[in-house]
Amino acid sequence: MVASFGIVLWLVAQVWVIQTAGFPSLIDATIEEIKDGLECGLFSSVDLVTAYLGRIAEVNADLKAVTEVNPDALEIAAALDDERAKGKIRGPLHGIPILIKNNIATKDKMNNTAGSFALLGAYPPRDSHIASQLRAAGVVILGKSNLSQWANFRSSNSSNGWSAHGGQVHAAYIKNQDPSGSSSGSGVAASLGLAAACLGSETDGSIISPSQRNNIVGIKPSVGLTSRDLVIPISEHQDTVGPMGRTVRDAATVLQAIAGPDPNDNYTSAIPGPLPDYLAACKPDALIGARLGIPANTIELFQGFDNTSQPEIDAFFAASKILAMAGATILPNANFTNLTEWANSTAENTVLNADFLVNLASYLAKLATNPNNVHSLADVSRFTKEVMPGPEEYPSRDTAVWDQALDPVSGFNNTDPRFWPALQQDLFLGGEGGLFGALDRNKLDAIILPSSFSPGFAAIVGAPIVTVPMGFYPANASVVMNTRGDLVDTGPNVPFGLSFLGRRFDEAKLIGYAFAFEQMTQVRKNVLPVVIPKTEVKVRPRSL
Ligand SMILES: *[C@@H]1O[C@H](CO)[C@@H](O)[C@H](O)[C@H]1NC(C)=O
Ligand SMILES: *[C@@H]1O[C@H](CO)[C@@H](O)[C@H](O)[C@H]1NC(C)=O
Ligand SMILES: *[C@@H]1O[C@H](CO)[C@@H](O)[C@H](O)[C@H]1NC(C)=O
Ligand SMILES: *[C@@H]1O[C@H](CO)[C@@H](O)[C@H](O)[C@H]1NC(C)=O
Ligand SMILES: *[C@@H]1O[C@H](CO)[C@@H](O)[C@H](O)[C@H]1NC(C)=O
Ligand SMILES: *[C@@H]1O[C@H](CO)[C@@H](O)[C@H](O)[C@H]1NC(C)=O
Ligand SMILES: *[C@@H]1O[C@H](CO)[C@@H](O)[C@H](O)[C@H]1NC(C)=O
Ligand SMILES: *[C@@H]1O[C@H](CO)[C@@H](O)[C@H](O)[C@H]1NC(C)=O
Ligand SMILES: *[C@@H]1O[C@H](CO)[C@@H](O)[C@H](O)[C@H]1NC(C)=O
Ligand SMILES: CC(=O)N[C@H]1CO[C@H](CO)[C@@H](O)[C@@H]1O
């Protein structure tokens, strides 16, 4: 009697704490807080979807982060609410809305276009493996996020986050901010809480760069950890799908749901054994005893390319002192030994061009409907230049990347004998002569770099990166425009991140380091975006 009275009092106190403290704004709410809110009946999944749709409607005319919302989202949420009411909980993502990049196919009413009118109405025969994993986990696929068209594999003079179908994405930390890319809409949407988290994809920088410029956490998984089945490709050797979220734990939770083998993507057979528990890797003391290396020559090289990145470099060295305070050993000269050759190499270009010819045709061949009859890169190029040049903004945004791949003399596909030397050069320059060599020679657990400098080395060897917010350009920073001259690349309050790079399939380690750093610094909260959606989820008072 006394004990049960105590329990009731405790319950009342818990509910009182939640209600008086208030549920956090959706710009900050973590997946765990949202899950708790669903579990204790503060709101339903339908309420959540309604709130996120309201937030998207508030800001999307300006920011163009979302290209399509899922017309079935409310219905799916209601079905998941029903399941919950009947006691079936699929896992930590049950009923949680997530936006996915507009290159990951879903078999529903939504299009999968990579931002091109060529693929409007071109539906897949079934869900991509990633989409079916999300659904199995109870995720509400809320919509498709905008991207740099064709994942930034078309033009030499386009802008990050522009697509013909979705318009120009803007980030929210300074007016007219370049969102970076190519997972631009995912970066902005995760940053502003237009969904609980987002998925992006990366070939070279497309998760890490927009994550850092939108002040969020991004995980670029090892190539092969997440399936590319029915994802509009660039390159089988470099493409990977990963989570973008506001916290390391959120990103780790989403990674757990999407990682794993898929018979439709043979690269996933390289996964070594059972998946680690990525959430359990989020330990505040993860940095104790970690050996982290700084490739000083690489920072010097990038400093030479771009003298505006000094605030990122200064913040990086300050961050390395924090990592040391947290118990890590920092090796300051873990140089990449063949950096000069890397900087001069065209091998990556060769590999991507050759893979794209084959991998794109292979995606197109799987489509169930193909209203524009595009079956090859040549068809897509013709469509862009001749059928719909206006909406595709050709030639203001050129097709230089495709022209090179399709060049009858210098272009070739990945069965050509010229392909293999290029791939081997990549594997050396990112491997022994780059990231893996530095890790092994110095017996390191990870390499750290400012996120702006980090993607290329991991890209060419399929290695993982985790980026976590590290700081912001100072208030007196001068405004630097992008190369097209239409967006603010860097300037006051533009965010940047810290990258951890590791060996293949070492995500759990990198997640641990990023989590420990995030807990010590909590940098994300230091600067607010200039655009903040106001719609919030309606919290019900709980009747006891
Ligand atoms: C997909 O594209 C078709 C063709 O333009 C359009 O009718 C449909 O509304 C789009 N789907 C969504 C969910 O926007
Ligand atoms: C995967 O590899 C096996 C063996 O080479 C092959 O039979 C199969 O068709 C491949 N599957 C796919 C989806 O590429
Ligand atoms: C690493 O690179 C830095 C910067 O170029 C250079 O000063 C240093 O001597 C190099 N150290 C080693 C061990 O190569
Ligand atoms: C960076 O380099 C440009 C071109 O060389 C120069 O005009 C500018 O003053 C430099 N900025 C800084 C901060 O050093
Ligand atoms: C890597 O660097 C070493 C030492 O400078 C050089 O001998 C070798 O040729 C380089 N390898 C490649 C593939 O560039
Ligand atoms: C490219 O190679 C040349 C010749 O070896 C070298 O002088 C130059 O520094 C290299 N470029 C970069 C960016 O490292
Ligand atoms: C982009 O490049 C194409 C081809 O060189 C050119 O026609 C077009 O004017 C360029 N666009 C801009 C905005 O400079
Ligand atoms: C690659 O190119 C060669 C030569 O043009 C061609 O014979 C072959 O069919 C192409 N392979 C694929 C998979 O596209
Ligand atoms: C901005 O202010 C800082 C601190 O006062 C100063 O060190 C730095 O030189 C200034 N930078 C510019 C670009 O004016
Ligand atoms: C959901 C949404 O707002 N989609 C819009 C995204 O931007 C394109 C291009 O401006 C619009 O056509 C969509 O309606």
Side-chain angles (χ1 to χ4, degrees):
M1 191 62 194
V2 171
S4 63
F5 181 68
I7 288 168
V8 169
L9 267 186
W10 178 83
L11 272 173
V12 170
Q14 292 300 302
V15 172
W16 184 82
V17 163
I18 288 169
Q19 286 183 2
T20 51
F23 189 76
S25 164
L26 290 177
I27 203 169
D28 288 322
T30 64
I31 288 178
E32 202 156 30
E33 286 166 335
I34 297 170
K35 170 176 134 324
D36 290 349
L38 286 165
E39 272 169 11
C40 67
L42 287 185
F43 43 77
S44 65
S45 183
V46 166
D47 295 332
L48 266 179
V49 167
T50 305
Y52 283 127
L53 292 178
R55 294 171 75 83
I56 292 168
E58 270 186 66
V59 301
N60 210 46
D62 287 341
L63 303 183
K64 299 273 195 292
V66 178
T67 52
E68 284 180 5
V69 296
N70 186 350
D72 301 322
L74 282 167
E75 211 172 298
I76 293 168
L80 290 161
D81 283 337
D82 275 356
E83 276 190 20
R84 180 184 298 281
K86 291 180 182 126
K88 179 176 177 194
I89 311 255
R90 297 180 185 217
L93 292 172
H94 188 111
I96 296 203
I98 286 182
L99 286 160
I100 66 176
K101 189 177 181 177
N102 192 11
N103 62 357
I104 304 170
T106 54
K107 184 166 171 54
D108 51 21
K109 301 194 180 90
M110 292 191 288
N111 291 284
N112 191 44
T113 66
S116 167
F117 284 103
L119 292 180
L120 204 58
Y123 294 103
R126 54 180 172 80
D127 270 338
S128 60
H129 181 75
I130 293 286
S132 64
Q133 293 279 97
L134 289 178
R135 293 195 213 273
V139 166
V140 181
I141 300 179
L142 183 65
K144 305 296 287 281
S145 53
N146 202 357
L147 72 174
S148 312
Q149 197 187 30
W150 294 107
N152 197 27
F153 210 69
R154 162 184 155 179
S155 181
S156 67
N157 62 0
S158 189
S159 48
N160 288 324
W162 177 86
S163 75
H165 176 224
Q168 175 66 59
V169 181
H170 290 107
Y173 280 85
I174 186 172
K175 199 169 152 32
N176 200 31
Q177 188 192 337
D178 186 328
S180 190
S182 65
S183 308
S184 317
S186 296
V188 174
S191 153
L192 299 183
L194 306 186
C198 298
L199 292 188
S201 71
E202 172 150 338
T203 305
D204 188 336
S206 282
I207 289 173
I208 296 303
S209 304
S211 293
Q212 71 146 349
R213 285 294 184 246
N214 288 286
N215 197 21
I216 60 169
V217 174
I219 302 177
K220 181 240 167 178
S222 307
V223 171
L225 183 67
T226 53
S227 166
R228 290 84 45 84
D229 165 53
L230 288 176
V231 177
I232 300 173
I234 294 176
S235 159
E236 63 187 271
H237 292 94
Q238 294 192 198
D239 296 351
T240 183
V241 176
M244 300 165 73
R246 288 179 297 274
T247 67
V248 175
R249 287 178 61 92
D250 284 0
T253 304
V254 175
L255 180 62
Q256 200 79 48
I258 61 170
D262 170 18
N264 284 314
D265 180 353
N266 274 350
Y267 284 59
T268 59
S269 64
I271 298 173
L275 290 182
D277 183 337
Y278 298 116
L279 199 54
C282 295
K283 293 206 201 84
D285 63 355
L287 283 162
I288 295 174
R291 285 175 62 84
L292 307 177
I294 299 175
N297 63 342
T298 304
I299 292 175
E300 194 178 83
L301 175 82
F302 278 90
Q303 213 163 4
F305 286 160
D306 174 9
N307 65 5
T308 63
S309 56
Q310 198 57 43
E312 299 186 35
I313 296 171
D314 294 345
F316 170 79
F317 284 107
S320 74
K321 295 200 173 73
I322 294 174
L323 297 170
M325 270 162 46
T329 301
I330 310 291
L331 284 87
N333 280 305
N335 293 353
F336 295 160
T337 50
N338 285 80
L339 186 68
T340 306
E341 290 86 355
W342 175 83
N344 274 320
S345 170
T346 57
E348 183 182 9
N349 240 341
T350 302
V351 167
L352 298 186
N353 286 347
D355 273 350
F356 191 53
L357 288 167
V358 174
N359 297 154
L360 177 65
S362 157
Y363 174 83
L364 297 172
K366 290 179 192 134
L367 290 171
T369 59
N370 191 340
N372 294 308
N373 264 306
V374 287
H375 302 285
S376 64
L377 178 57
D379 291 347
V380 166
S381 179
R382 206 174 302 119
F383 178 92
T384 303
K385 293 176 175 179
E386 291 165 21
V387 181
M388 256 197 217
E392 293 286 329
E393 295 194 13
Y394 177 82
S396 167
R397 299 173 196 267
D398 66 27
T399 54
V401 175
W402 300 347
D403 299 346
Q404 195 183 50
L406 290 167
D407 187 287
V409 178
S410 58
F412 49 83
N413 69 31
N414 65 13
T415 63
D416 188 282
R418 286 168 288 182
F419 177 78
W420 298 104
L423 184 62
Q424 294 314 307
Q425 193 181 85
D426 272 356
L427 295 178
F428 177 81
L429 294 177
E432 172 56 29
L435 175 59
F436 296 155
L439 288 168
D440 290 347
R441 267 190 315 280
N442 300 289
K443 299 187 171 52
L444 299 174
D445 294 297
I447 286 285
I448 53 173
L449 277 171
S451 292
S452 291
F453 310 161
S454 68
F457 305 98
I460 54 179
V461 289
I465 311 178
V466 177
T467 181
V468 60
M470 180 171 74
F472 303 83
Y473 274 78
N476 65 353
S478 37
V479 167
V480 178
M481 301 301 283
N482 66 347
T483 50
R484 198 177 162 88
D486 56 355
L487 298 170
V488 175
D489 178 7
T490 56
N493 289 342
V494 168
F496 47 74
L498 169 65
S499 277
F500 296 87
L501 299 80
R503 296 180 177 84
R504 280 172 55 70
F505 301 108
D506 248 357
E507 284 79 6
K509 245 187 204 180
L510 308 184
I511 286 169
Y513 303 152
F515 175 77
F517 178 78
E518 176 194 51
Q519 295 312 298
M520 291 182 74
T521 52
Q522 297 292 349
V523 168
R524 179 175 176 268
K525 304 199 165 138
N526 293 353
V527 173
L528 291 177
V530 292
V531 179
I532 299 181
K534 298 194 171 51
T535 307
E536 297 292 348
V537 64
K538 285 208 176 56
V539 175
R540 286 190 243 280
R542 177 112 196 274
S543 55
L544 273 175

